[in-house]
């Protein structure tokens, strides 16, 4: 997809495109790391469920649209059936009420592990998602995970490739430094060393 903007394609931020891009990027990061990490380290792709619910301007909404196709069961027909064209309908069909289960979004991230230390986590690589950058349960879950990793002996690399939403910077001094940059950065890659 071509873009009138330099750098990353801003259309990737669309809610229906981002999940595919996010998963693909995480897979590529894992593949590249596994081809270049020194032994005994290895990278693996992990998934965490996200609900995709965000709270904005006093409203709660789902960030990734759901689509469901429902069909009424059709009676079996014999091979000798013939279709007959009838007059167009002039009445509205009966409505069908259904409950559609909301599927969780699979949030991909990459872990670098050390098998010589019982497969200990060495580095966690997170690709920030749209629902991480907006108020709601996914942001709270991300911040909890961020705190756990920052308080551990593992490194945390955060890739924020989304221009919209609130940054997830745990360091207040860094927040102030980035806020004072002119122009402010569109994308941030943050390396938090253990």
């Amino acid at each position: 997809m071509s873009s009138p903007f330099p750098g990353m394609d801003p259309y990737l931020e669309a809610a229906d495109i981002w999940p595919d891009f996010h998963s693909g990027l995480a897979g590529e990061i894992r593949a590249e790391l596994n081809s270049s990490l020194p032994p005994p380290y290895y990278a693996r792709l992990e998934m965490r469920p996200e609900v995709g619910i965000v709270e904005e301007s006093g409203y709660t909404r789902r960030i990734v649209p759901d689509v469901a196709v429902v069909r009424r069961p059709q009676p079996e027909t014999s091979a000798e059936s013939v279709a007959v064209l009838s007059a167009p309908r002039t009445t509205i069909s009966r409505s069908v009420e259904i409950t559609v289960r909301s599927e969780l979004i699979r949030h991909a991230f990459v872990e670098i592990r050390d098998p010589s230390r019982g497969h200990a986590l060495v580095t966690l690589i997170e690709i920030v998602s749209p629902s991480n950058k907006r108020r709601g349960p996914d942001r709270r879950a991300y911040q909890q995970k961020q705190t756990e990793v920052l308080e551990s002996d593992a490194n945390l690399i955060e890739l924020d490739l989304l221009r919209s939403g609130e940054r997830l910077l745990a360091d207040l001094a860094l927040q102030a430094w980035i806020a004072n940059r002119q122009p402010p950065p569109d994308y941030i890659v943050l390396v938090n060393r253990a």
Side-chain angles (χ1 to χ4, degrees):
M1 184 180 294
S2 65
S3 168
F5 308 100
M8 201 174 102
D9 189 336
Y11 301 110
L12 290 175
E13 295 184 33
D16 54 340
I17 296 173
W18 181 257
D20 181 57
F21 171 76
H22 187 146
S23 296
L25 178 59
E28 287 296 323
I29 290 170
R30 180 200 59 198
E32 286 296 320
L33 286 172
N34 280 329
S35 70
S36 61
L37 280 171
Y41 301 106
Y42 65 93
R44 75 178 186 187
L45 191 63
E46 288 291 325
M47 298 288 179
R48 175 177 58 252
E50 289 189 348
V51 293
I53 304 293
V54 295
E55 300 159 5
E56 287 183 320
S57 306
Y59 295 101
T60 301
R61 66 180 180 92
R62 185 149 168 85
I63 202 164
V64 176
D66 287 327
V67 176
V69 176
V70 178
R71 290 192 182 144
R72 205 178 289 229
Q74 300 294 322
E76 290 187 29
T77 59
S78 68
E80 297 177 15
S81 296
V82 176
V84 177
L85 182 62
S86 59
R89 286 189 103 153
T90 57
T91 60
I92 297 175
S93 302
R94 282 188 318 131
S95 63
V96 177
E97 214 172 291
I98 61 166
T99 301
V100 178
R101 283 185 18 174
S102 181
E103 301 233 353
L104 294 175
I105 302 165
R106 295 177 52 143
H107 175 92
F109 57 94
V110 179
E111 295 179 335
I112 298 175
R113 296 214 169 240
D114 181 357
S116 69
R117 295 188 307 147
H119 301 277
L121 178 65
V122 175
T123 301
L124 175 65
I125 303 171
E126 285 280 359
I127 304 165
V128 178
S129 73
S131 62
N132 296 150
K133 291 190 71 178
R134 292 185 174 94
R135 297 184 199 288
D138 291 338
R139 183 179 179 88
R140 290 188 293 273
Y142 182 90
Q143 287 173 318
Q144 181 179 350
K145 181 71 172 178
Q146 182 187 52
T147 300
E148 289 170 11
V149 176
L150 291 173
E151 291 175 352
S152 75
D153 63 350
N155 304 300
L156 174 62
I157 299 174
E158 297 169 292
L159 306 173
D160 185 349
L161 305 176
L162 299 166
R163 295 165 301 140
S164 62
E166 255 178 83
R167 298 270 184 222
L168 286 156
L169 305 169
D171 184 328
L172 295 177
L174 182 60
Q175 285 180 17
W177 183 81
I178 289 174
N180 291 324
R181 303 291 299 164
Q182 291 303 322
D186 290 327
Y187 312 114
I188 294 178
V189 176
L190 185 59
V191 178
N192 299 284
R193 296 183 60 87

